[in-house]
């Protein structure tokens, strides 16, 4: 069975991966991420993921896929984070760029099977979709496209961990959006 790391301890992950160390000090908008920088958020996402009952019910390999995707989901906030004219911190395109980086890292540094690599890459790519699918011009088309590339059940678990692994005033609303996305997936 493939794993990104035998060690799940945050300090060991920081020691092992330079790209995890790069998350330290990368700012996030305190309205959406009052917990702090990308490293703090990622650590909280991993903890939230491992505490989800639905995560424990997944196969060992699916848990490893989810863990790797959670570890990589914001890897490219390091290159996309900017402060706009109004003083808001944004990271436009971080999911798409993160998917490309995840693919490169998994191909260069690790050797999972092709299907496992691509599962992780697509989870990174679409990790925000459950929150924003209904903001898309054609939500059904967006869902169908994503469902051809990623297991939407795993995507919902990652999205839920992403929200639980942050401090924000609208956490309940964001979790409700994930519930709606899950219902939309089941309906389709």
């Amino acid at each position: 069975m493939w794993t990104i790391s035998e060690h799940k301890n945050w300090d060991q992950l920081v020691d092992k991966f330079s790209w995890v160390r790069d998350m330290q000090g990368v700012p996030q908008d305190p309205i959406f991420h009052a917990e702090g920088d990308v490293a703090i958020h990622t650590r909280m996402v991993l903890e939230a993921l491992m505490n989800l009952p639905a995560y424990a019910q997944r196969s060992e390999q699916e848990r490893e896929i989810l863990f790797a995707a959670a570890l990589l989901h914001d890897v490219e906030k390091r290159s996309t984070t900017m402060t706009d004219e109004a003083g808001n911190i944004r990271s436009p395109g971080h999911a798409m760029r993160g998917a490309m980086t995840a693919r490169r890292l998994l191909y260069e540094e690790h050797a999972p099977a092709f299907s496992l690599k691509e599962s992780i890459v697509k989870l990174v790519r679409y990790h925000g979709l459950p929150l924003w699918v209904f903001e898309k011009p054609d939500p059904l088309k967006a869902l169908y496209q994503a469902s051809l590339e990623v297991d939407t059940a795993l995507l919902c678990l990652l999205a839920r961990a992403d929200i639980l692994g942050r401090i924000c005033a609208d956490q309940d609303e964001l979790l409700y959006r994930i519930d709606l996305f899950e219902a939309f997936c089941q309906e389709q």
Side-chain angles (χ1 to χ4, degrees), residues 11-126:
D11 292 332
Q12 291 171 317
L13 294 168
V14 170
D15 288 343
K16 183 173 182 172
F17 300 115
S18 64
W19 45 271
V20 173
R21 290 190 297 278
D22 290 345
M23 295 177 189
Q24 297 172 337
V26 177
Q28 300 184 105
D29 194 313
I31 293 172
F32 307 110
H33 290 281
E35 71 278 2
D37 68 21
V38 175
I40 293 167
H41 168 61
T42 301
R43 182 179 186 169
M44 290 174 66
V45 170
L46 291 170
E47 291 168 358
L49 178 68
M50 291 187 289
N51 286 320
L52 288 171
Y55 174 79
Q57 294 170 358
R58 290 301 193 170
S59 72
E60 191 174 3
Q61 189 63 80
E62 287 174 322
R63 289 193 306 270
E64 290 298 326
I65 289 167
L66 282 163
F67 186 90
L71 186 61
L72 286 159
H73 84 284
D74 281 345
V75 68
E76 281 306 330
K77 281 191 173 180
R78 63 187 178 177
S79 68
T80 60
T81 297
M82 54 178 269
T83 304
D84 66 19
E85 294 173 3
N88 301 308
I89 300 170
R90 302 282 181 248
S91 301
H94 79 276
M96 188 170 296
R97 186 174 284 182
M100 291 186 292
T101 298
R103 183 175 287 120
R104 181 182 56 77
L105 291 170
L106 291 169
Y107 278 80
E108 290 176 1
E109 297 180 20
H110 307 285
F114 178 81
S115 63
L116 295 180
K117 288 177 204 165
E118 288 305 306
S119 293
I120 295 163
V121 167
K122 297 306 181 178
L123 286 167
V124 171
R125 168 67 183 93
Y126 290 109

